Amino acid sequence: MSDTGLRQKAARLRRAYAPHEHRPLGGYLVAMGAYAGVTGALAGLVKATGRPVPERPAPSDVVLLSIATHKLSRLLSKDAVTSPLRAPFTRYDHPIGSGEVMEQVRDSGSPTRHAIGELLSCPFCLAVWVATGLTGGLVLAPRLTRLVATALTAVAASDFLQMAYATAQQAAEGGHQDDD
């Protein structure tokens, strides 16, 4: 099949998949290919270094990496300070509190740029990549990975404590107003 024939077939597929909305299927394919490449490179590096892969990760490592994945995904996808990393692919919309921002994906006609914007502004989407990196790190550099994951976990716990404190403070201030 010719290149033109493939493009026409891909265009028909996009229209059939989402006739009333722009979905950058080609960009998603690029992102999936990049993820497969990163995962393959990690696996190749593990094999080349001869690092043993645990048969079953320790439950404590799973919990540690889960919380660290949550925090790093939020930092990368929502934190105001990391917005320069997302700026080529997203546009600032508004603050959402706790130092986080809401951004909209730039739709400049490039399906790859659109897909990267969706990936970088979505903590759920980014978590797959972060978890893969941390898991690879756990095999290749376990002490360093656990140290970084511990710091991220401490920040996540601190976030929840800060929010609980703010909620308790608001409740206390609300109680004082009722006394007036």
Side-chain angles (χ1 to χ4, degrees):
M1 182 175 278
S2 72
D3 188 44
T4 303
L6 281 175
R7 286 179 193 210
Q8 290 173 346
K9 191 171 187 169
R12 281 195 307 272
L13 178 63
R14 277 192 303 274
R15 285 191 302 273
Y17 175 71
H20 304 295
E21 189 175 332
H22 172 66
R23 301 307 312 150
L25 298 181
Y28 295 154
L29 282 173
V30 170
M32 289 187 326
Y35 179 79
V38 167
T39 305
L42 273 173
L45 194 54
V46 168
K47 186 169 176 79
T49 59
R51 299 292 303 201
V53 177
E55 185 175 325
R56 205 170 298 146
S60 59
D61 283 335
V62 173
V63 171
L64 183 66
L65 293 190
S66 297
I67 297 169
T69 294
H70 163 79
K71 185 59 198 174
L72 187 54
S73 297
R74 291 227 48 108
L75 279 171
L76 293 173
S77 65
K78 295 293 180 188
D79 197 270
V81 175
T82 59
S83 60
L85 302 174
R86 300 182 304 274
F89 309 99
T90 62
R91 184 171 285 109
Y92 173 82
D93 194 355
H94 63 274
I96 55 175
S98 301
E100 293 188 339
V101 296
M102 179 59 70
E103 296 166 329
Q104 299 301 317
V105 174
R106 288 182 190 241
D107 196 4
S108 64
S110 166
T112 302
R113 184 179 193 180
H114 185 106
I116 292 170
E118 284 190 25
L119 175 66
L120 292 179
S121 62
C122 171
F124 299 97
C125 306
L126 201 52
V128 175
W129 292 70
V130 170
T132 299
L134 289 173
T135 302
L138 194 59
V139 173
L140 293 166
R143 290 176 67 181
L144 178 60
T145 301
R146 284 187 186 101
L147 182 64
V148 170
T150 297
L152 289 165
T153 298
V155 173
S158 175
D159 288 351
F160 283 103
L161 290 171
Q162 296 288 0
M163 288 182 215
Y165 182 86
T167 301
Q169 191 174 30
Q170 287 174 348
E173 289 171 359
H176 289 272
Q177 290 173 354
D178 292 341
D179 294 338
D180 293 339

